[in-house]
mmCIF file of all heavy atoms in Angstrom:
data_model
loop_
_atom_site.group_PDB
_atom_site.id
_atom_site.type_symbol
_atom_site.label_atom_id
_atom_site.label_comp_id
_atom_site.label_asym_id
_atom_site.label_seq_id
_atom_site.Cartn_x
_atom_site.Cartn_y
_atom_site.Cartn_z
ATOM 1 N N LYS A 1074 -5.243 -3.031 9.867
ATOM 2 C CA LYS A 1074 -3.905 -3.176 9.302
ATOM 3 C C LYS A 1074 -3.971 -4.020 8.031
ATOM 4 O O LYS A 1074 -4.376 -5.186 8.061
ATOM 5 C CB LYS A 1074 -2.959 -3.833 10.314
ATOM 6 C CG LYS A 1074 -2.844 -3.064 11.639
ATOM 7 C CD LYS A 1074 -2.192 -1.710 11.448
ATOM 8 C CE LYS A 1074 -1.923 -0.994 12.768
ATOM 9 N NZ LYS A 1074 -3.126 -0.395 13.366
ATOM 10 N N ILE A 1075 -3.556 -3.414 6.896
ATOM 11 C CA ILE A 1075 -3.607 -4.060 5.594
ATOM 12 C C ILE A 1075 -2.179 -4.244 5.067
ATOM 13 O O ILE A 1075 -1.384 -3.310 5.087
ATOM 14 C CB ILE A 1075 -4.410 -3.209 4.577
ATOM 15 C CG1 ILE A 1075 -5.733 -2.722 5.172
ATOM 16 C CG2 ILE A 1075 -4.624 -3.993 3.277
ATOM 17 C CD1 ILE A 1075 -6.688 -3.808 5.577
ATOM 18 N N LEU A 1076 -1.876 -5.450 4.609
ATOM 19 C CA LEU A 1076 -0.552 -5.758 4.038
ATOM 20 C C LEU A 1076 -0.643 -5.781 2.515
ATOM 21 O O LEU A 1076 -1.571 -6.364 1.955
ATOM 22 C CB LEU A 1076 -0.071 -7.111 4.549
ATOM 23 C CG LEU A 1076 1.284 -7.596 4.027
ATOM 24 C CD1 LEU A 1076 2.407 -6.822 4.691
ATOM 25 C CD2 LEU A 1076 1.454 -9.097 4.276
ATOM 26 N N GLU A 1077 0.325 -5.156 1.845
ATOM 27 C CA GLU A 1077 0.416 -5.265 0.385
ATOM 28 C C GLU A 1077 1.736 -5.946 0.030
ATOM 29 O O GLU A 1077 2.796 -5.554 0.527
ATOM 30 C CB GLU A 1077 0.316 -3.918 -0.310
ATOM 31 C CG GLU A 1077 0.430 -4.078 -1.825
ATOM 32 C CD GLU A 1077 0.169 -2.822 -2.628
ATOM 33 O OE1 GLU A 1077 -0.137 -1.780 -2.026
ATOM 34 O OE2 GLU A 1077 0.274 -2.888 -3.868
ATOM 35 N N ILE A 1078 1.667 -6.940 -0.851
ATOM 36 C CA ILE A 1078 2.844 -7.677 -1.281
ATOM 37 C C ILE A 1078 3.200 -7.278 -2.710
ATOM 38 O O ILE A 1078 2.404 -7.485 -3.634
ATOM 39 C CB ILE A 1078 2.590 -9.198 -1.190
ATOM 40 C CG1 ILE A 1078 2.399 -9.607 0.262
ATOM 41 C CG2 ILE A 1078 3.746 -9.974 -1.805
ATOM 42 C CD1 ILE A 1078 2.019 -11.062 0.462
ATOM 43 N N GLY A 1079 4.377 -6.698 -2.901
ATOM 44 C CA GLY A 1079 4.862 -6.342 -4.233
ATOM 45 C C GLY A 1079 4.202 -5.099 -4.779
ATOM 46 O O GLY A 1079 3.297 -5.198 -5.604
ATOM 47 N N PHE A 1080 4.644 -3.902 -4.356
ATOM 48 C CA PHE A 1080 3.946 -2.680 -4.775
ATOM 49 C C PHE A 1080 4.563 -2.007 -5.997
ATOM 50 O O PHE A 1080 4.098 -0.955 -6.431
ATOM 51 C CB PHE A 1080 3.830 -1.683 -3.613
ATOM 52 C CG PHE A 1080 5.139 -1.245 -3.000
ATOM 53 C CD1 PHE A 1080 5.976 -0.341 -3.631
ATOM 54 C CD2 PHE A 1080 5.521 -1.719 -1.746
ATOM 55 C CE1 PHE A 1080 7.168 0.083 -3.049
ATOM 56 C CE2 PHE A 1080 6.703 -1.297 -1.132
ATOM 57 C CZ PHE A 1080 7.533 -0.400 -1.788
ATOM 58 N N GLY A 1081 5.608 -2.602 -6.590
ATOM 59 C CA GLY A 1081 6.174 -2.018 -7.811
ATOM 60 C C GLY A 1081 6.745 -0.638 -7.545
ATOM 61 O O GLY A 1081 7.597 -0.452 -6.681
ATOM 62 N N MET A 1082 6.243 0.363 -8.288
ATOM 63 C CA MET A 1082 6.701 1.736 -8.102
ATOM 64 C C MET A 1082 5.796 2.507 -7.141
ATOM 65 O O MET A 1082 6.014 3.704 -6.932
ATOM 66 C CB MET A 1082 6.789 2.456 -9.455
ATOM 67 C CG MET A 1082 7.793 1.832 -10.415
ATOM 68 S SD MET A 1082 9.483 1.691 -9.728
ATOM 69 C CE MET A 1082 10.029 3.399 -9.838
ATOM 70 N N GLY A 1083 4.803 1.851 -6.575
ATOM 71 C CA GLY A 1083 4.066 2.428 -5.459
ATOM 72 C C GLY A 1083 2.909 3.349 -5.794
ATOM 73 O O GLY A 1083 2.247 3.854 -4.872
ATOM 74 N N GLU A 1084 2.634 3.574 -7.073
ATOM 75 C CA GLU A 1084 1.572 4.516 -7.442
ATOM 76 C C GLU A 1084 0.217 4.094 -6.878
ATOM 77 O O GLU A 1084 -0.502 4.873 -6.255
ATOM 78 C CB GLU A 1084 1.509 4.612 -8.978
ATOM 79 C CG GLU A 1084 0.372 5.489 -9.504
ATOM 80 C CD GLU A 1084 0.182 5.347 -11.006
ATOM 81 O OE1 GLU A 1084 0.940 4.610 -11.658
ATOM 82 O OE2 GLU A 1084 -0.746 5.980 -11.529
ATOM 83 N N THR A 1085 -0.131 2.815 -7.087
ATOM 84 C CA THR A 1085 -1.414 2.310 -6.596
ATOM 85 C C THR A 1085 -1.469 2.332 -5.078
ATOM 86 O O THR A 1085 -2.484 2.721 -4.476
ATOM 87 C CB THR A 1085 -1.647 0.874 -7.114
ATOM 88 O OG1 THR A 1085 -1.802 0.922 -8.533
ATOM 89 C CG2 THR A 1085 -2.887 0.239 -6.496
ATOM 90 N N THR A 1086 -0.391 1.907 -4.439
ATOM 91 C CA THR A 1086 -0.336 1.855 -2.981
ATOM 92 C C THR A 1086 -0.566 3.228 -2.361
ATOM 93 O O THR A 1086 -1.336 3.363 -1.399
ATOM 94 C CB THR A 1086 1.034 1.320 -2.534
ATOM 95 O OG1 THR A 1086 1.322 0.123 -3.260
ATOM 96 C CG2 THR A 1086 1.063 1.021 -1.048
ATOM 97 N N ALA A 1087 0.073 4.251 -2.903
ATOM 98 C CA ALA A 1087 -0.075 5.598 -2.376
ATOM 99 C C ALA A 1087 -1.521 6.097 -2.548
ATOM 100 O O ALA A 1087 -2.082 6.732 -1.643
ATOM 101 C CB ALA A 1087 0.896 6.547 -3.077
ATOM 102 N N LYS A 1088 -2.120 5.789 -3.693
ATOM 103 C CA LYS A 1088 -3.507 6.234 -3.934
ATOM 104 C C LYS A 1088 -4.479 5.549 -2.970
ATOM 105 O O LYS A 1088 -5.404 6.181 -2.466
ATOM 106 C CB LYS A 1088 -3.898 5.948 -5.385
ATOM 107 C CG LYS A 1088 -3.251 6.895 -6.391
ATOM 108 C CD LYS A 1088 -3.688 6.587 -7.819
ATOM 109 C CE LYS A 1088 -3.067 7.567 -8.797
ATOM 110 N NZ LYS A 1088 -3.425 7.232 -10.207
ATOM 111 N N ILE A 1089 -4.272 4.251 -2.748
ATOM 112 C CA ILE A 1089 -5.174 3.533 -1.826
ATOM 113 C C ILE A 1089 -5.001 4.053 -0.406
ATOM 114 O O ILE A 1089 -5.989 4.267 0.321
ATOM 115 C CB ILE A 1089 -4.905 2.012 -1.885
ATOM 116 C CG1 ILE A 1089 -5.308 1.457 -3.258
ATOM 117 C CG2 ILE A 1089 -5.678 1.291 -0.786
ATOM 118 C CD1 ILE A 1089 -4.979 -0.014 -3.453
ATOM 119 N N ALA A 1090 -3.757 4.286 0.008
ATOM 120 C CA ALA A 1090 -3.510 4.795 1.360
ATOM 121 C C ALA A 1090 -4.144 6.173 1.544
ATOM 122 O O ALA A 1090 -4.681 6.490 2.623
ATOM 123 C CB ALA A 1090 -2.011 4.857 1.637
ATOM 124 N N ALA A 1091 -4.096 7.011 0.500
ATOM 125 C CA ALA A 1091 -4.717 8.338 0.580
ATOM 126 C C ALA A 1091 -6.230 8.226 0.625
ATOM 127 O O ALA A 1091 -6.901 8.938 1.402
ATOM 128 C CB ALA A 1091 -4.284 9.188 -0.603
ATOM 129 N N LEU A 1092 -6.789 7.315 -0.166
ATOM 130 C CA LEU A 1092 -8.251 7.143 -0.231
ATOM 131 C C LEU A 1092 -8.793 6.524 1.056
ATOM 132 O O LEU A 1092 -9.861 6.897 1.545
ATOM 133 C CB LEU A 1092 -8.605 6.259 -1.434
ATOM 134 C CG LEU A 1092 -10.082 5.993 -1.679
ATOM 135 C CD1 LEU A 1092 -10.789 7.276 -2.117
ATOM 136 C CD2 LEU A 1092 -10.250 4.915 -2.765
ATOM 137 N N ARG A 1093 -8.032 5.592 1.627
ATOM 138 C CA ARG A 1093 -8.491 4.871 2.821
ATOM 139 C C ARG A 1093 -7.670 5.328 4.041
ATOM 140 O O ARG A 1093 -6.953 4.556 4.653
ATOM 141 C CB ARG A 1093 -8.372 3.366 2.595
ATOM 142 C CG ARG A 1093 -9.371 2.850 1.563
ATOM 143 C CD ARG A 1093 -9.158 1.393 1.211
ATOM 144 N NE ARG A 1093 -9.105 0.500 2.364
ATOM 145 C CZ ARG A 1093 -9.021 -0.826 2.285
ATOM 146 N NH1 ARG A 1093 -9.002 -1.418 1.094
ATOM 147 N NH2 ARG A 1093 -8.952 -1.563 3.362
ATOM 148 N N SER A 1094 -7.836 6.569 4.384
ATOM 149 C CA SER A 1094 -7.078 7.135 5.503
ATOM 150 C C SER A 1094 -7.474 6.530 6.841
ATOM 151 O O SER A 1094 -6.761 6.690 7.838
ATOM 152 C CB SER A 1094 -7.272 8.660 5.541
ATOM 153 O OG SER A 1094 -8.654 8.985 5.680
ATOM 154 N N GLU A 1095 -8.613 5.809 6.869
ATOM 155 C CA GLU A 1095 -9.055 5.163 8.103
ATOM 156 C C GLU A 1095 -8.356 3.856 8.358
ATOM 157 O O GLU A 1095 -8.560 3.205 9.399
ATOM 158 C CB GLU A 1095 -10.575 4.936 8.062
ATOM 159 C CG GLU A 1095 -11.048 3.830 7.147
ATOM 160 C CD GLU A 1095 -11.117 4.208 5.663
ATOM 161 O OE1 GLU A 1095 -10.705 5.332 5.308
ATOM 162 O OE2 GLU A 1095 -11.603 3.368 4.872
ATOM 163 N N ASP A 1096 -7.483 3.415 7.424
ATOM 164 C CA ASP A 1096 -6.728 2.163 7.564
ATOM 165 C C ASP A 1096 -5.227 2.437 7.539
ATOM 166 O O ASP A 1096 -4.771 3.429 6.988
ATOM 167 C CB ASP A 1096 -7.075 1.193 6.426
ATOM 168 C CG ASP A 1096 -8.528 0.753 6.448
ATOM 169 O OD1 ASP A 1096 -9.102 0.632 7.547
ATOM 170 O OD2 ASP A 1096 -9.108 0.531 5.362
ATOM 171 N N ASP A 1097 -4.448 1.491 8.109
ATOM 172 C CA ASP A 1097 -2.990 1.546 8.042
ATOM 173 C C ASP A 1097 -2.499 0.493 7.053
ATOM 174 O O ASP A 1097 -3.032 -0.617 7.010
ATOM 175 C CB ASP A 1097 -2.373 1.252 9.420
ATOM 176 C CG ASP A 1097 -2.586 2.373 10.409
ATOM 177 O OD1 ASP A 1097 -2.624 3.545 9.987
ATOM 178 O OD2 ASP A 1097 -2.708 2.085 11.625
ATOM 179 N N PHE A 1098 -1.442 0.820 6.284
ATOM 180 C CA PHE A 1098 -0.938 -0.069 5.244
ATOM 181 C C PHE A 1098 0.549 -0.355 5.440
ATOM 182 O O PHE A 1098 1.363 0.560 5.589
ATOM 183 C CB PHE A 1098 -1.168 0.563 3.857
ATOM 184 C CG PHE A 1098 -2.617 0.689 3.505
ATOM 185 C CD1 PHE A 1098 -3.335 1.814 3.882
ATOM 186 C CD2 PHE A 1098 -3.275 -0.320 2.820
ATOM 187 C CE1 PHE A 1098 -4.680 1.923 3.587
ATOM 188 C CE2 PHE A 1098 -4.624 -0.228 2.515
ATOM 189 C CZ PHE A 1098 -5.335 0.891 2.909
ATOM 190 N N LEU A 1099 0.878 -1.649 5.424
ATOM 191 C CA LEU A 1099 2.274 -2.102 5.456
ATOM 192 C C LEU A 1099 2.553 -2.719 4.092
ATOM 193 O O LEU A 1099 1.908 -3.685 3.699
ATOM 194 C CB LEU A 1099 2.453 -3.134 6.556
ATOM 195 C CG LEU A 1099 3.864 -3.744 6.683
ATOM 196 C CD1 LEU A 1099 4.898 -2.677 7.042
ATOM 197 C CD2 LEU A 1099 3.869 -4.863 7.733
ATOM 198 N N ALA A 1100 3.497 -2.138 3.336
ATOM 199 C CA ALA A 1100 3.730 -2.545 1.956
ATOM 200 C C ALA A 1100 5.150 -3.095 1.786
ATOM 201 O O ALA A 1100 6.105 -2.518 2.295
ATOM 202 C CB ALA A 1100 3.508 -1.353 1.018
ATOM 203 N N ILE A 1101 5.246 -4.204 1.048
ATOM 204 C CA ILE A 1101 6.519 -4.910 0.898
ATOM 205 C C ILE A 1101 6.972 -4.882 -0.562
ATOM 206 O O ILE A 1101 6.191 -5.163 -1.473
ATOM 207 C CB ILE A 1101 6.405 -6.369 1.357
ATOM 208 C CG1 ILE A 1101 5.877 -6.461 2.787
ATOM 209 C CG2 ILE A 1101 7.756 -7.087 1.262
ATOM 210 C CD1 ILE A 1101 5.534 -7.881 3.222
ATOM 211 N N GLU A 1102 8.235 -4.583 -0.785
ATOM 212 C CA GLU A 1102 8.839 -4.593 -2.119
ATOM 213 C C GLU A 1102 10.340 -4.786 -1.958
ATOM 214 O O GLU A 1102 10.914 -4.289 -0.976
ATOM 215 C CB GLU A 1102 8.530 -3.280 -2.852
ATOM 216 C CG GLU A 1102 9.155 -3.129 -4.228
ATOM 217 C CD GLU A 1102 8.721 -4.227 -5.210
ATOM 218 O OE1 GLU A 1102 7.520 -4.345 -5.479
ATOM 219 O OE2 GLU A 1102 9.608 -4.957 -5.667
ATOM 220 N N VAL A 1103 10.981 -5.511 -2.880
ATOM 221 C CA VAL A 1103 12.423 -5.746 -2.736
ATOM 222 C C VAL A 1103 13.272 -4.771 -3.538
ATOM 223 O O VAL A 1103 14.451 -4.601 -3.241
ATOM 224 C CB VAL A 1103 12.796 -7.192 -3.176
ATOM 225 C CG1 VAL A 1103 12.179 -8.202 -2.238
ATOM 226 C CG2 VAL A 1103 12.386 -7.471 -4.613
ATOM 227 N N HIS A 1104 12.718 -4.110 -4.539
ATOM 228 C CA HIS A 1104 13.531 -3.319 -5.466
ATOM 229 C C HIS A 1104 13.701 -1.880 -4.984
ATOM 230 O O HIS A 1104 12.717 -1.154 -4.798
ATOM 231 C CB HIS A 1104 12.919 -3.355 -6.854
ATOM 232 C CG HIS A 1104 12.816 -4.749 -7.387
ATOM 233 N ND1 HIS A 1104 13.909 -5.481 -7.798
ATOM 234 C CD2 HIS A 1104 11.749 -5.576 -7.523
ATOM 235 C CE1 HIS A 1104 13.514 -6.674 -8.182
ATOM 236 N NE2 HIS A 1104 12.213 -6.762 -8.020
#
């Protein structure tokens, strides 16, 4: 389980989640 703080528009987060399908990602953003 990997936490990301502040993902902006999410482009990087989506790419990492696709690349690392063996991990789960919880991502936080306020906007």
Side-chain angles (χ1 to χ4, degrees):
K1074 302 295 187 283
I1075 313 298
L1076 179 74
E1077 180 172 359
I1078 295 175
F1080 58 75
M1082 297 305 284
E1084 176 191 358
T1085 294
T1086 310
K1088 286 181 178 177
I1089 293 175
L1092 182 68
R1093 291 173 52 176
S1094 59
E1095 73 281 5
D1096 296 327
D1097 289 328
F1098 294 87
L1099 178 63
I1101 305 171
E1102 177 60 60
V1103 294
H1104 301 288

